[in-house]
Structures are given as structure tokens and as C-alpha cells.
């Protein structure tokens, strides 16, 4: 039996507390995983797990062994990664996690080109709305569209993101187009339903953008306004909201990457572009580590190059009009952050 394979299996079973979960991840039977554990216990002469019909848990000896094995394998990976830092070709297996809709639209179509460029690499793309634990799960890289605040993770920005208000041409023929934020109260707004309730607020740039801060005053960030909206149809699936908008049932507030193709085809029309505020940007996230594997670095570079700056979904049709507004908002935000950082540095060194 491959000693390192056995140790990795031991770690995976300890984390998941299930032979079946580990077996499904590897594409083998639970019995095969169980035999690996049996052989490892026989070699060590100690029981590592307590097994029941419901789950498998570590014995006290197994708990001590778990910490040692995790440290050993982490050191081994770090040594391997140190050799591949400057590599120009990716090898091995790359496991990527991404949100379902974004992954379908903007990652999966381009993966074949990346694999073709790196023939010694295999890629697994896991699409899910679940936030994976990058430190304890076997995932190399996660794509996230979020306001990242976890200092334990390293994030590399792949593309900016913003939201647009859209409706179908038929809907606007019947109900007219909103020309101001106040007009949204006259429309059926399709809302996202969450476990904690309805997401009945949409955020926009304020009609009165902030001017330059007075001398000595705190830097101004782009002013935004959050509006309560109303509507008769709600769903926890963003794709359903988009389909309802396509069918003429109301207005949807969607990310540009979700609806750019429909806007380009004329099936959806974007309104209120001058009020579009920057949203949570799109990031590649990976655990903090001493060395970044070549396969991760090269895939991040590939996605950045594929998406472009501005991203390609902003460079078609009516969305071109929103680029300038988004650029302005991002510039204001960046300038405010820069000034705040300079002010903090000045106070620290004073």
C-alpha cells in the first residue's frame, strides 16, 4: 500500500467522519477506503477510529496521530510546491470551486483551452453555492463573489462586478421604463428570497455623487442609496429571477455577468445605468501558504486574461454605457481608500 496515499486517506476520513464521503470523492467503493484504514491500523498496531453505523470518529491515539500526519503532509506539499513556483506548465490535479451560475457561464466554457495548454494537468470543477473550507477540504482554489474579510485567505481579484436593473422589451411596452430611482416604486420588482427573509433592498449610486472632501476632512467614499422595493414574485434562485424578467413579469436586479448575453441579444433591456453601483467583485481565493503552486498561479492568470479588464461581459451592447459610470464609482472608491490609508500611515508615523 502507498504509505502517503494511506495517510491522506486517514486525514480525509478523520475530517469527513465518513468512509462513503471519501469514497465518493475518489470514485472508489467505501470498502476500499475501509481496507486502507484497516491496513494502516495493522501496520501501526493501534486503533485510529471508533466506528459505528452512523459515523466514524477518532480515538485518542488517532487524534494525536492526526495532528502529526497533517503537519507532515503539509510540509511535503510545501516542498513540492517550492519546486513548481517558477514553472511555466501546470501538472497534477487542480480542484476548483465556483458558484454554480458563474461557473457555468464564465469558467466551464474556457476550461478546455486551459487543459489543452497544460496536457499534464487534470482539472475538477465543483459548482456549488456552498462556501468550501479551503484549509480543511481538498480544494486548491475557490472563485467567490463576495466582500472578502477573512484574513486567513489570500484573494486575487479576477474581475470587477456591478448590478444592473433589467426588464424585457414587452414589459417596458406595457409599464414604461423607470427614469429615476423613485420610479421603481411603480414597478413589480422581482426579489431574492433567502433563509432569513426577503432581500427587498437594492443599492445604487446616490443621485448626488459626493464631491471632493473639504481640506483636512475624512476622505469621501462614493455615496450610495439603498431603496426598499416591492414585488409579488420572489425566489431563492437568481436564474429563475432572470427567467421571470425575460418572460416580462417584472424588473430584476442582476449582476452584469448574469445578463450581458441577454442584453446583447435584445431580450433584456438595462435601465437606470447612471445609478449602477459597484458590487462585490469576483476573486480567486486560496489558503495562505509559503509557496503558490504553479497550477494555481497559472489558472488565476488564465482567468484574468480570459475575463479582461474591463471584463468582456461589460464590452457588449447597452452595457458599454455603464462602464463609464462604474469606472467613475470605482475610481472614487479607490481614491477614498488611498487617502484613508495615507492618513492612517501619517497618524502612525507622527
Amino acid at each position: 500500500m502507498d504509505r502517503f496515499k494511506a495517510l491522506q486517506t486517514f486525514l480525509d476520513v478523520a475530517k469527513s467522519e465518513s468512509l462513503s464521503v471519501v469514497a465518493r470523492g475518489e470514485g472508489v467503493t467505501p470498502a476500499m477506503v475501509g481496507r486502507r484504514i484497516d491496513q494502516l491500523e495493522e501496520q501501526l498496531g493501534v486503533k485510529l477510529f471508533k466506528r459505528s453505523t452512523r459515523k466514524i470518529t477518532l480515538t485518542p491515539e488517532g487524534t494525536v496521530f492526526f495532528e502529526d500526519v497533517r503537519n507532515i503532509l503539509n510540509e511535503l506539499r510545501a516542498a513540492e510546491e517550492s519546486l513548481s513556483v517558477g514553472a511555466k506548465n501546470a501538472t497534477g490535479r487542480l480542484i476548483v470551486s465556483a458558484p454554480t451560475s458563474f461557473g457555468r457561464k464564465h469558467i466551464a466554457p474556457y476550461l478546455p483551452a486551459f487543459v489543452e495548454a497544460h496536457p499534464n494537468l487534470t482539472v475538477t470543477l465543483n459548482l456549488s453555492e456552498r462556501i468550501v473550507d479551503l484549509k480543511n477540504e481538498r480544494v486548491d482554489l475557490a472563485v467567490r463573489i463576495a466582500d472578502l474579510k477573512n484574513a486567513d485567505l489570500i484573494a486575487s481579484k479576477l474581475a470587477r462586478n456591478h448590478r444592473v436593473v433589467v426588464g424585457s422589451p414587452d414589459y417596458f411596452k406595457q409599464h414604461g421604463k423607470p427614469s429615476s430611482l423613485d420610479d421603481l416604486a411603480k414597478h413589480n420588482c422581482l426579489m431574492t428570497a433567502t433563509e432569513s427573509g426577503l432581500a427587498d433592498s437594492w443599492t445604487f449610486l446616490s443621485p448626488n455623487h459626493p464631491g471632493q472632501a473639504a481640506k483636512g476632512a475624512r476622505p469621501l467614499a462614493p455615496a450610495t442609496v439603498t431603496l426598499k422595493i416591492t414585488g409579488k414574485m420572489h425566489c431563492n434562485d437568481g436564474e429563475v429571477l432572470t427567467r421571470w424578467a425575460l418572460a416580462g413579469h417584472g424588473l430584476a436586479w442582476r449582476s452584469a455577468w448574469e445578463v450581458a448575453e441577454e442584453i446583447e441579444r435584445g431580450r433584456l433591456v438595462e435601465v437606470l445605468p447612471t445609478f449602477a453601483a459597484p458590487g462585490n467583485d469576483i476573486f480567486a481565493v486560496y489558503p495562505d501558504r509559503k509557496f503558490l503552486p504553479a497550477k494555481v498561479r497559472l489558472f488565476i492568470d488564465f482567468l484574468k486574461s480570459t475575463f479582461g479588464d474591463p471584463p468582456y461581459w461589460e464590452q457588449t451592447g447597452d452595457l458599454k454605457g455603464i462602464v463609464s459610470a462604474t469606472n467613475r464609482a470605482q475610481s472614487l472608491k479607490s481614491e477614498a481608500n488611498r487617502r484613508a490609508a495615507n492618513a492612517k500611515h501619517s497618524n502612525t508615523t507622527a
Side-chain angles (χ1 to χ4, degrees):
M1 178 179 60
D2 185 321
R3 178 62 63 89
F4 291 111
K5 182 65 175 179
L7 294 177
Q8 184 62 61
T9 299
F10 164 73
L11 287 184
D12 294 341
V13 172
K15 292 173 183 177
S16 65
E17 298 185 340
S18 169
L19 298 177
S20 299
V21 169
V22 175
R24 283 197 299 271
E26 294 188 16
V28 299
T29 64
M32 182 177 292
V33 175
R35 282 196 296 272
R36 292 180 197 163
I37 298 298
D38 291 340
Q39 291 173 12
L40 182 61
E41 290 179 331
E42 185 177 346
Q43 289 176 356
L44 297 172
V46 66
K47 282 291 183 183
L48 300 172
F49 291 102
K50 294 182 290 186
R51 308 189 195 190
S52 69
T53 55
R54 292 188 175 182
K55 65 179 181 178
I56 180 170
T57 57
L58 288 169
T59 63
E61 295 82 2
T63 300
V64 174
F65 189 59
F66 175 85
E67 293 299 328
D68 290 338
V69 170
R70 183 169 61 178
N71 291 335
I72 290 170
L73 292 186
N74 284 341
E75 288 296 323
L76 176 61
R77 291 193 186 96
E80 292 174 339
E81 290 164 3
S82 68
L83 298 176
S84 69
V85 169
K88 296 182 180 179
N89 293 306
T91 60
R93 184 186 181 195
L94 175 68
I95 303 178
V96 179
S97 172
T100 303
S101 183
F102 185 83
R104 284 175 181 167
K105 288 178 177 289
H106 302 294
I107 297 179
Y110 306 107
L111 266 185
F114 183 71
V115 173
E116 184 177 352
H118 302 279
N120 294 321
L121 178 74
T122 61
V123 181
T124 298
L125 177 62
N126 295 326
L127 300 181
S128 172
E129 303 311 312
R130 185 177 70 88
I131 303 298
V132 299
D133 183 348
L134 287 167
K135 288 208 163 185
N136 295 308
E137 297 185 47
R138 297 178 67 181
V139 176
D140 298 299
L141 171 75
V143 175
R144 291 183 181 169
I145 306 171
D147 182 11
L148 299 178
K149 297 178 179 178
N150 191 338
D152 294 334
L153 299 176
I154 306 299
S156 178
K157 184 176 174 180
L158 299 175
R160 69 187 185 194
N161 180 40
H162 67 275
R163 292 230 174 189
V164 295
V165 179
V166 294
S168 72
D170 287 343
Y171 176 85
F172 291 130
K173 285 181 182 178
Q174 296 182 43
H175 304 281
K177 292 183 180 181
S179 57
S180 69
L181 297 184
D182 292 338
D183 288 344
L184 290 175
K186 306 171 187 176
H187 291 267
N188 183 43
C189 296
L190 305 169
M191 285 185 275
T192 302
T194 66
E195 293 182 357
S196 57
L198 290 178
D200 58 354
S201 298
W202 292 357
T203 301
F204 301 91
L205 284 181
S206 170
N208 300 312
H209 297 304
Q212 187 175 358
K215 186 176 182 179
R218 185 177 180 179
L220 294 174
T224 59
V225 58
T226 299
L227 297 181
K228 288 283 187 179
I229 46 94
T230 59
K232 298 181 178 180
M233 300 171 68
H234 324 128
C235 187
N236 66 340
D237 188 321
E239 189 171 333
V240 170
L241 298 177
T242 300
R243 290 179 181 177
W244 283 345
L246 286 165
H249 298 307
L251 300 181
W253 188 50
R254 310 307 304 152
S255 289
W257 60 261
E258 294 179 274
V259 295
E261 184 177 352
E262 305 301 341
I263 293 175
E264 176 70 8
R265 293 180 177 180
R267 299 178 63 193
L268 287 175
V269 177
E270 193 256 332
V271 294
L272 304 174
T274 58
F275 301 106
N280 293 325
D281 291 324
I282 303 161
F283 294 93
V285 182
Y286 51 91
D288 186 7
R289 57 180 66 182
K290 186 175 181 180
F291 301 105
L292 181 63
K295 61 185 179 181
V296 175
R297 172 178 54 80
L298 291 170
F299 189 63
I300 291 174
D301 291 343
F302 172 79
L303 290 180
K304 289 181 178 180
S305 176
T306 299
F307 296 159
D309 185 19
Y312 64 80
W313 51 81
E314 287 185 356
Q315 300 181 39
T316 58
D318 292 343
L319 284 174
K320 288 182 179 179
I322 203 170
V323 172
S324 59
T326 305
N327 281 341
R328 182 177 186 280
Q330 293 282 28
S331 296
L332 286 168
K333 186 176 181 179
S334 298
E335 179 63 16
N337 290 337
R338 185 186 65 79
R339 292 180 182 179
N342 289 341
K344 182 178 180 180
H345 177 71
S346 299
N347 292 334
T348 304
T349 56

